[in-house]
Amino acid sequence: MRKNIVAGNWKMNKTLQEGVDLAKELQTALNGKKVNCDVIVCTPFIHLTAVNALLDPTIVKLGAQNCADKGSGAYTGEVSAAMVASTGAQYVILGHSERRAYYGETNAILKEKLKQALENKLTPIFCIGEVLAEREAGKQNSVVKTQIEDSLFELSAEDFGKIILAYEPVWAIGTGKTATSEQAQEMHAYIRQTIAGKYGASVANETSILYGGSANAGNAGELFANPDVDGGLIGGASLKVDTFLPIVEAF
Ligand code: 13P
């Protein structure tokens, strides 16, 4: 079901205690408040159990930032989708550009991660987006289309319907340089059209497509007002309640 969503991606920030404090503060700030979107925080793995214990999922939902491409076994240092699900987390970010760029995650690996996540009833928040050189060459649409086709289009329509997409232009991540509202709408509409071409208009219309990349309290309202922008995946501004809450309230 297409929903408005504001998700925080804490990335590799916050010790366990700091993360617990932030989650508590966010939950308190939102308790009793009427908001027009689902709120999710995606924490580091080691925070999941403690943060899950203090969150009311009707107020703030919980996700991880990654999971393994294998089910179990001799994969030192990896964390499986089943392990993530066993903490109570409901979501998992997959295919973030930082994982693609720094940890060699290919579309083929991501297909396996998606399979693991779905088998374990986690909702993937699947990230796509072009780098600066690709946008400057006018190739952003074909890059994003290939990412979607190569990782997602083997899914059944039913499984595709379980996924949240996040368009994160790499040049906008952590740079303070947000995509303009027009650039975001244009790409989100293109993504929806690409989905419609494969799965039909009703699946496309039901897919939540979030924008990520230097979203903040100042630009969230304008971004979210676009018909094809269903929310945000927020990095830096999710690390403090003071900067995250106004983004949630932008809906
Ligand atoms: P920033 O909001 O810090 O630019 O990060 C965006 C992001 O990568 C969210 O996944």
Side-chain angles (χ1 to χ4, degrees), residues 28-108:
T28 304
L30 284 167
N31 197 0
K33 207 169 237 178
K34 163 108 187 62
V35 294
N36 297 313
C37 60
D38 282 0
V39 180
I40 304 169
V41 290
C42 296
T43 76
F45 289 130
I46 65 135
H47 299 53
L48 292 171
T49 303
V51 169
N52 183 62
L54 64 88
L55 289 181
D56 172 348
T58 65
I59 301 173
V60 183
K61 301 177 199 309
L62 180 64
Q65 301 169 18
N66 183 25
C67 71
D69 57 343
K70 312 278 196 316
S72 67
Y75 302 104
T76 302
E78 288 294 294
V79 175
S80 72
M83 292 173 189
V84 171
S86 72
T87 68
Q90 294 173 273
Y91 297 84
V92 61
I93 297 172
L94 290 178
H96 193 282
S97 60
E98 289 151 14
R99 303 250 12 128
R100 292 176 191 259
Y102 308 144
Y103 301 98
E105 292 194 4
T106 60
N107 288 327

Side-chain angles (χ1 to χ4, degrees), residues 21-231:
D21 290 347
L22 173 59
K24 266 189 205 156
E25 204 189 322
L26 181 64
Q27 160 101 359
T28 304
L30 284 167
N31 197 0
K33 207 169 237 178
K34 163 108 187 62
V35 294
N36 297 313
C37 60
D38 282 0
V39 180
I40 304 169
V41 290
C42 296
T43 76
F45 289 130
I46 65 135
H47 299 53
L48 292 171
T49 303
V51 169
N52 183 62
L54 64 88
L55 289 181
D56 172 348
T58 65
I59 301 173
V60 183
K61 301 177 199 309
L62 180 64
Q65 301 169 18
N66 183 25
C67 71
D69 57 343
K70 312 278 196 316
S72 67
Y75 302 104
T76 302
E78 288 294 294
V79 175
S80 72
M83 292 173 189
V84 171
S86 72
T87 68
Q90 294 173 273
Y91 297 84
V92 61
I93 297 172
L94 290 178
H96 193 282
S97 60
E98 289 151 14
R99 303 250 12 128
R100 292 176 191 259
Y102 308 144
Y103 301 98
E105 292 194 4
T106 60
N107 288 327
I109 293 172
L110 290 170
K111 262 204 288 210
E112 296 303 313
K113 294 193 175 204
L114 271 167
K115 209 163 101 187
Q116 292 294 331
L118 289 168
E119 274 174 10
N120 287 284
K121 306 210 169 357
L122 295 171
T123 299
I125 302 174
F126 193 83
C127 302
I128 50 185
E130 80 285 358
V131 301
L132 185 60
E134 291 163 339
R135 176 155 287 261
E136 284 176 347
K139 289 187 185 151
Q140 66 272 18
N141 286 9
S142 65
V143 167
V144 165
K145 187 171 188 209
T146 303
Q147 288 173 340
I148 296 173
E149 283 174 348
D150 289 358
S151 318
L152 301 176
F153 275 3
E154 279 173 30
L155 295 173
S156 65
E158 192 193 340
D159 278 347
F160 190 90
K162 295 173 185 161
I163 288 177
I164 298 165
L165 284 180
Y167 169 58
E168 299 207 309
V170 179
W171 47 271
I173 296 176
T175 57
K177 197 170 175 233
T178 322
T180 64
S181 176
E182 291 74 26
Q183 285 171 324
Q185 168 55 26
E186 198 180 312
M187 178 58 88
H188 283 228
Y190 176 73
I191 292 168
R192 206 177 296 286
Q193 182 194 319
T194 304
I195 299 167
K198 168 79 180 170
Y199 293 106
S202 95
V203 170
N205 283 331
E206 291 295 302
T207 304
S208 295
I209 309 174
L210 315 184
Y211 168 81
S214 299
N216 58 41
N219 56 34
E222 197 187 340
L223 286 162
F224 298 169
N226 287 302
D228 288 298
V229 179
D230 306 310

